[in-house]
Amino acid sequence: MEPLFSPPLHSQRHQFVIDFVKRNKPKKVVDLGCSECSLLKKLKFHREVELLVGVDIDVAKIKKHMHALAPLSTDYLQPTYDQLCIELYQGSVTQRDVRLRGFDLVTSIELIEHLTLADVESFSEVVFGYMTPVAVIVSTPNSEFNPLLPGLKGFRHSDHKFEWTRAEFQSWALQVSVKYGYEVEFTGVGEAPPDQQESVGFCSQIGVFRRLMGRDACNVLFTDDAADGFSYRLVYSKIYPSLHDNNILRRVLVTEVLSWAEKLKRRWIGDKTNVKDDSYTQYQTERREEECLRSSEQQTGHGAEMNNLREESEDQEGESEELFWTTGLGKQKSCTLQRVVSVPLAVLWTSCPKVGALSGSLSNLRHLLMDDPEVRLNQDGSALLINLQEQDNEEEDQNDFEDSGYGEARQYCHSAEHDEDWEPDV
């Protein structure tokens, strides 16, 4: 049998919430009766949300599906400045928990029909009187639509305690709005055939509640937070990687800096190789104490970058490397030294947009790199030092040595939203 709705009705309900989130950009969202976390799995990709919470009474169902809310590998490899924390709680929507106060959006998707009418009253007090969110989205079956559902007898699900008509739902919603200071707009998803839409309405009716006093209002119905305590049990908590975490910012910045420094080094070596004089080939072997930033902040483009790169040498502590160089006379000399290329931080900061964006300023770039074990700076911290690794090419003429390659840079590399008994997609 072809599905009655396309997309399925549960997808339409979730899309309604997602569209609301896109328009209103709430930072703190809680889904009451999160069940299999299917709505939360979609909302986690909308990074205007900073705190995403799910509550359900069925802890086994939460534990079965909670791992799908974990960060993806790309969240670790390419973290952004967006912040996201996900928390899942076991608890009843008729109980108060101080951690759920002051949210921007509360969703209750196909939940209240699973409560007794007495519990619906408690639910209303907890959500609208105690939690006092800026907005609430409540969806519930519209019993007037039921005759259009093939093969349905009685309620849509065996656990439903009631199913309201449009008038009954609107009566409850308007009473709640007046009592707790909200206004409500009625809509729905799952349209009837055009000639019956007006007479039966939507398959799932939806009320969108907005607090009249705005974001900073505070309801005084329940004021003793100390008496409330923590009624819910935290089952799952995950903080997504973010560049607001200084350790993550430093890791990403160091990776980007080393990658760009290696690129600049190779281009500098290429330029140097193309213009070298055959009569005399020699790399500098004395430490350069002079400032490597000369004119680098004023210069731009490839030529400026290359002009400000310098080759230096350092006495190597511990293991050393035997290096050879030749003169025009063909005489071989050797010395023990560590050969490095000096890349001014100013060049890195101006030539790589991502380095500039991550660090914010040249001084902050120097500060972030200074104590990192993967980075080596010169004495005054103005330039990055990169080893100039070489290999000797053995040729038939043993008196002629030529650089053959260079080292690579380091790489861092109650349960709601039940399946309806009569129709899986509703």
Side-chain angles (χ1 to χ4, degrees):
M1 183 177 67
E2 292 186 3
L4 186 61
F5 299 104
S6 182
L9 195 59
H10 67 271
S11 297
Q12 294 188 41
R13 290 191 290 257
H14 291 172
Q15 190 61 48
F16 183 92
V17 175
I18 291 170
D19 291 341
F20 183 92
V21 168
K22 288 180 178 179
R23 291 192 307 269
N24 296 275
K25 304 189 184 309
K27 293 184 180 297
K28 299 170 64 177
V29 178
V30 55
D31 182 31
L32 301 179
C34 62
S35 187
E36 298 177 354
C37 306
S38 53
L39 177 57
L40 300 178
K41 293 173 189 175
K42 298 174 182 177
L43 288 176
K44 76 171 188 173
F45 293 104
H46 298 272
R47 301 305 286 271
E48 49 270 276
V49 179
E50 296 180 0
L51 176 58
L52 189 58
V53 175
V55 178
D56 202 280
I57 200 169
D58 188 345
V59 69
K61 188 167 289 187
I62 292 177
K63 290 183 176 181
K64 181 178 180 180
H65 298 278
M66 64 186 185
H67 298 293
L69 297 172
L72 302 175
S73 58
T74 52
D75 294 314
Y76 291 100
L77 295 173
Q78 298 178 331
T80 67
Y81 281 103
D82 298 323
Q83 301 180 79
L84 176 61
C85 175
I86 298 180
E87 296 175 348
L88 299 178
Y89 294 92
Q90 178 196 21
S92 169
V93 295
T94 63
Q95 294 178 313
R96 305 191 299 269
D97 190 298
V98 67
R99 290 169 291 187
L100 268 64
R101 297 201 69 180
F103 272 62
D104 298 302
L105 174 63
V106 170
T107 62
S108 171
I109 309 302
E110 308 296 285
L111 168 65
I112 58 174
E113 65 273 8
H114 294 273
L115 306 175
T116 65
L117 292 177
D119 284 341
V120 171
E121 184 67 22
S122 299
F123 167 85
S124 304
E125 291 180 354
V126 169
V127 173
F128 297 95
Y130 178 74
M131 293 173 62
T132 63
V134 176
V136 182
I137 297 176
V138 177
S139 80
T140 190
N142 168 22
S143 63
E144 297 174 70
F145 201 99
N146 287 355
L148 301 182
L149 302 177
L152 176 63
K153 295 180 180 180
F155 292 154
R156 300 184 189 180
H157 193 278
S158 57
D159 187 56
H160 287 185
K161 306 303 187 294
F162 61 87
E163 290 180 0
W164 279 333
T165 64
R166 286 175 292 172
E168 290 170 330
F169 177 60
Q170 292 175 17
S171 175
W172 168 80
L174 291 171
Q175 289 179 24
V176 166
S177 298
V178 171
K179 185 174 182 179
Y180 300 109
Y182 284 78
E183 62 181 0
V184 60
E185 174 188 355
F186 298 103
T187 181
V189 294
E191 294 184 350
D195 59 335
Q196 296 178 288
Q197 181 64 40
E198 186 175 347
S199 61
V200 301
F202 293 98
C203 188
S204 280
Q205 50 189 334
I206 296 176
V208 179
F209 301 79
R210 299 177 188 270
R211 198 172 64 200
L212 289 174
M213 293 179 289
R215 187 179 298 271
D216 298 325
C218 182
N219 193 288
V220 296
L221 181 61
F222 299 106
T223 57
D224 189 3
D225 288 348
D228 300 327
F230 296 164
S231 301
Y232 299 160
R233 178 165 72 95
L234 180 64
V235 178
Y236 178 84
S237 179
K238 180 66 67 175
I239 299 177
Y240 273 54
S242 167
L243 293 175
H244 285 280
D245 184 323
N246 207 49
N247 291 328
I248 294 176
L249 173 62
R250 189 190 300 271
R251 172 179 62 80
V252 174
L253 179 63
V254 166
T255 301
E256 199 69 25
V257 163
L258 293 177
S259 175
W260 269 85
E262 182 69 19
K263 292 177 184 178
L264 293 175
K265 183 193 79 173
R266 290 178 178 179
R267 284 158 59 181
W268 175 79
I269 291 174
D271 286 358
K272 189 176 181 68
T273 302
N274 291 337
V275 299
K276 66 181 181 180
D277 188 348
D278 291 337
S279 65
Y280 187 80
T281 303
Q282 176 182 355
Y283 285 112
Q284 298 172 331
T285 58
E286 297 179 356
R287 173 187 296 277
R288 290 186 177 271
E289 298 289 344
E290 65 183 11
E291 176 60 53
C292 291
L293 289 173
R294 182 185 60 187
S295 304
S296 62
E297 295 187 6
Q298 285 75 36
Q299 299 182 56
T300 57
H302 174 78
E305 294 170 1
M306 298 304 103
N307 288 338
N308 283 282
L309 268 63
R310 297 288 185 268
E311 183 185 356
E312 301 181 3
S313 64
E314 296 181 342
D315 294 333
Q316 196 171 15
E317 296 181 4
E319 256 184 60
S320 60
E321 180 182 4
E322 186 80 2
L323 300 180
F324 296 90
W325 49 273
T326 62
T327 67
L329 300 176
K331 296 181 179 180
Q332 300 176 12
K333 298 184 179 181
S334 67
C335 58
T336 300
L337 49 83
Q338 181 182 11
R339 300 170 67 177
V340 297
V341 171
S342 175
V343 183
L345 296 187
V347 171
L348 283 167
W349 192 75
T350 55
S351 62
C352 176
K354 189 170 182 179
V355 168
L358 289 169
S359 58
S361 67
L362 184 57
S363 60
N364 196 42
L365 173 61
R366 183 180 298 111
H367 173 73
L368 289 169
L369 297 180
M370 191 165 295
D371 297 324
D372 193 281
E374 301 290 340
V375 173
R376 186 158 55 115
L377 302 179
N378 63 357
Q379 283 188 327
D380 63 3
S382 64
L384 178 69
L385 303 179
I386 306 179
N387 289 341
L388 185 61
Q389 300 178 16
E390 298 178 356
Q391 297 176 348
D392 295 332
N393 277 340
E394 294 186 2
E395 300 181 358
E396 292 183 2
D397 185 358
Q398 294 297 321
N399 291 330
D400 186 14
F401 290 86
E402 181 176 343
D403 291 337
S404 62
Y406 300 92
E408 297 291 332
R410 288 167 288 186
Q411 302 294 322
Y412 296 100
C413 329
H414 298 307
S415 294
E417 201 66 27
H418 291 279
D419 288 340
E420 310 295 352
D421 287 350
W422 66 275
E423 182 70 49
D425 70 351
V426 175

